[in-house]
Amino acid sequence: MPIYELAAVGAATCWALTGIIAAGPAGHLGAWAFNWIRQVSVTVLLAIVMLATGVWHQLNVATIGPLAISGLMGIFLGDTLLFATLNRLGPRRAGVIFALNAPMAALLGFVLLGERLPVQVVVGIALTVCGVVLAIIFGKRRDQLHAWEAVKGPLWIGILFGLGAAAGQAVGSVIAKPVMASGVDPFLASMVRVGVAATCLTVLMVLPIQVAKPKAPVTPGVATVTVLVGVLGLGVGMTLLLFALSGGNVGVISTLSATSPVIILPMLWLKTGERPAGGAWIGAVLVAIGMGIIFLR
């Protein structure tokens, strides 16, 4: 079975779910405070698991350094910018920009890691990426007026945030790939990466930086949902991605994990009651075909 590729799709599914659940608390708290709560809570939970299982003995200088940098780029920078994009542009537009992390990662994997892909896989990746982009660009009908379709603030700032999020995710994945291929436990790697990001955000929260402060009070309900988003997106989704990177090609894994905008389509339909446009389903079909080509290579 293509276990690593399936793990990447599992990660995409987790992130699609968090994209739905996170919209409320992320908008309530702001991207910085929202990420701080979820990253600190997940770090604590993963640390407890690692101490209980004894896996923490795998930590050494050779693994901590790259994983720390990977967490700094992929989670601290990438995730924070992604939720900032989500707040400004909504799930649909944020998804199409963030999907660019797949071709970015494939290119970096080729240049930095020497990963080469068969022509069949390149075709599968191209179809999948095109399907994701098509699903989002043409995923809205003219009569859809849900609040998530509104653009908050200048559009170009949201686009820059999205590109930064995509680049952070791609660089973080490429840096983590050699470490994961060496056999490091995915949960341990997640703890290090999330812990570094949580530490950076904690420093920012303590400093007198207004943008890093919560936009509104942290209520028990908001805190609970935020922790849930962290466990699902970072505890489960990110660990699945790292496991996928331990045995899969960076370009392939990044492409499959970037299918969240297509997986989220039926979820958005259920959530908002607004059926995605026909172009979204055409994109979903292209994604299915592209994934099929990748799985059957």
Side-chain angles (χ1 to χ4, degrees):
M1 290 183 64
I3 186 67
Y4 300 112
E5 288 79 4
L6 287 174
V9 176
T13 303
C14 288
W15 295 336
L17 283 169
T18 60
I20 296 291
I21 302 172
H28 177 84
L29 297 172
W32 294 92
F34 170 77
N35 263 338
W36 178 75
I37 292 175
R38 75 189 192 107
Q39 288 173 10
V40 169
S41 60
V42 170
T43 300
V44 172
L45 290 173
L46 287 175
I48 293 173
V49 173
M50 293 303 97
L51 288 173
T53 59
V55 176
W56 63 273
H57 287 292
Q58 291 185 9
L59 284 178
N60 54 59
V61 176
T63 58
I64 290 180
L67 288 175
I69 298 174
S70 175
L72 187 66
M73 297 299 297
I75 301 180
F76 172 64
L77 178 63
D79 259 28
T80 302
L81 288 177
L82 175 59
F83 282 102
T85 309
L86 184 71
N87 284 344
R88 285 178 170 270
L89 304 183
R92 188 175 65 86
R93 295 184 185 89
V96 70
I97 301 174
F98 189 67
L100 294 175
N101 83 85
M104 288 179 184
L107 179 61
L108 289 173
F110 172 75
V111 174
L112 300 178
L113 302 179
E115 292 186 339
R116 299 183 181 277
L117 297 170
V119 174
Q120 177 183 341
V121 176
V122 173
V123 172
I125 290 176
L127 283 174
T128 302
V129 173
C130 287
V132 169
V133 173
L134 181 65
I136 304 172
I137 290 179
F138 299 102
K140 176 182 179 294
R141 303 192 315 274
R142 293 180 182 273
D143 60 341
Q144 285 183 293
L145 301 174
H146 194 271
W148 286 352
E149 293 298 333
V151 176
K152 301 174 183 176
L155 177 63
W156 67 270
I157 294 180
I159 292 174
L160 284 181
F161 283 169
L163 290 174
Q169 173 74 1
V171 172
S173 295
V174 171
I175 294 174
K177 164 67 178 178
V179 179
M180 299 313 303
S182 70
V184 172
D185 183 84
F187 284 100
L188 179 65
S190 289
M191 185 196 72
V192 174
R193 296 178 81 234
V194 178
V196 167
T199 300
C200 292
L201 280 178
T202 299
V203 172
L204 290 178
M205 295 289 289
V206 173
L207 294 174
I209 302 176
Q210 189 57 40
V211 71
K213 306 299 181 183
K215 291 169 56 179
V218 182
T219 64
V222 168
T224 300
V225 176
T226 302
V227 172
L228 174 62
V229 170
V231 171
L232 184 61
L234 294 174
V236 180
M238 193 61 65
T239 301
L240 284 172
L241 175 64
L242 291 173
F243 170 74
L245 287 172
S246 70
N249 180 282
V250 171
V252 172
I253 298 305
S254 296
T255 299
L256 294 176
S257 65
T259 56
S260 298
V262 173
I263 297 174
I264 205 174
L265 286 175
M267 300 178 190
L268 283 172
W269 189 357
L270 289 172
K271 176 69 175 179
T272 66
E274 297 179 348
R275 177 176 53 82
W281 300 116
I282 295 174
V285 170
L286 284 179
V287 168
I289 294 173
M291 289 172 61
I293 292 174
I294 292 172
F295 284 137
L296 297 175
R297 69 185 187 277

